[in-house]
Amino acid sequence: LAEIRYPFLKYTAIPTPLVSIFLSLNIPVYNLSLCLIIGWKFKIFAMPDIKIPPHNEEAEESVLGADLIDKDAIVTVAQFLKPEYFYDERNAQIYAAILELYEAREPVDFLTLTEKLKKKKVYTKVGGADYLSHLASLVPTAAHVEHYGRMIQNNYTKREVIAQSGKISEMAFDEGTEAEQVLNRAEQ
């Protein structure tokens, strides 16, 4: 028996001759999610590819870091970037607080942001001083903040398209829904 390591199972034993058959058929053994062994009979269930919605953690952190180190960075992105565009909820809450400071014409810096997050009772939830320090030290300059903001906006748009297409797909599978209703929903 050959011992094969799975990321989610400690070990699974597969008879050595079958490992070579899997490999000769270009079936990576480590991608098998389940292999039931009954004597020499195998039933293989392939694990579906898990797709993570489009997002860019580095772009999100870079926008927040730029906002902390340069008072003009928020002016550049506030026109088009909204908190709900952020994939990471922590980043969305931090950006919402930065926007609130900006709209109140208060300075956006480490101290004012910390105070705002504490007032909103999310300071520890978003990572506290460690995470804010990480954000501030992440970017050397705010020169590309608009580009990073556009990346966040683009990924949000893609996530919305995915969500809407899922809803339209559900409608199409519903036998009680007319095709015209599905098409009208798709056109919206």
Side-chain angles (χ1 to χ4, degrees), residues 9-182:
L9 298 175
K10 189 172 181 185
Y11 287 99
T12 300
I14 300 177
T16 307
L18 290 179
V19 171
S20 9
I21 292 171
F22 289 150
L23 295 175
S24 68
L25 295 173
N26 290 327
I27 301 173
V29 177
Y30 57 85
N31 280 343
L32 300 175
S33 63
L34 181 61
C35 189
L36 298 175
I37 305 172
I38 304 171
W40 281 92
K41 296 181 182 175
F42 283 82
K43 188 170 187 178
I44 300 168
F45 300 93
M47 186 171 161
D49 290 337
I50 297 173
K51 295 187 179 185
I52 298 171
H55 69 286
N56 188 322
E57 186 177 335
E58 292 83 11
E60 290 185 10
E61 291 178 347
S62 295
V63 165
L64 298 175
D67 290 341
L68 284 171
I69 66 167
D70 185 344
K71 62 182 174 59
D72 295 327
I74 187 64
V75 176
T76 306
V77 294
Q79 302 168 22
F80 66 89
L81 193 60
K82 298 179 182 176
E84 60 265 21
Y85 291 3
F86 286 77
Y87 182 77
D88 186 330
E89 184 60 32
R90 293 180 313 162
N91 293 339
Q93 289 178 335
I94 293 169
Y95 185 71
I98 289 172
L99 264 183
E100 288 174 21
L101 289 169
Y102 169 70
E103 290 168 355
R105 308 238 185 275
E106 295 180 30
V108 176
D109 58 29
F110 190 85
L111 206 55
T112 57
L113 181 59
T114 297
E115 187 62 30
K116 178 60 98 174
L117 292 169
K118 284 181 179 179
K119 282 182 183 176
K120 294 175 82 172
K121 300 184 189 304
V122 294
Y123 181 68
T124 54
K125 184 179 176 184
V126 299
D130 289 340
Y131 190 61
L132 294 180
S133 297
H134 165 73
L135 294 174
S137 67
L138 191 65
V139 289
T141 177
H144 305 292
V145 70
E146 183 176 0
H147 178 71
Y148 301 144
R150 296 286 179 199
M151 290 169 68
I152 295 167
Q153 183 184 37
N154 183 48
N155 284 327
Y156 170 77
T157 302
K158 288 179 181 180
R159 290 193 305 271
E160 285 298 300
V161 167
I162 292 167
Q164 292 304 318
S165 64
K167 290 176 184 175
I168 293 167
S169 178
E170 285 180 28
M171 284 180 67
F173 278 106
D174 183 3
E175 292 180 19
T177 307
E178 295 294 325
E180 188 174 330
Q181 288 176 307
V182 176

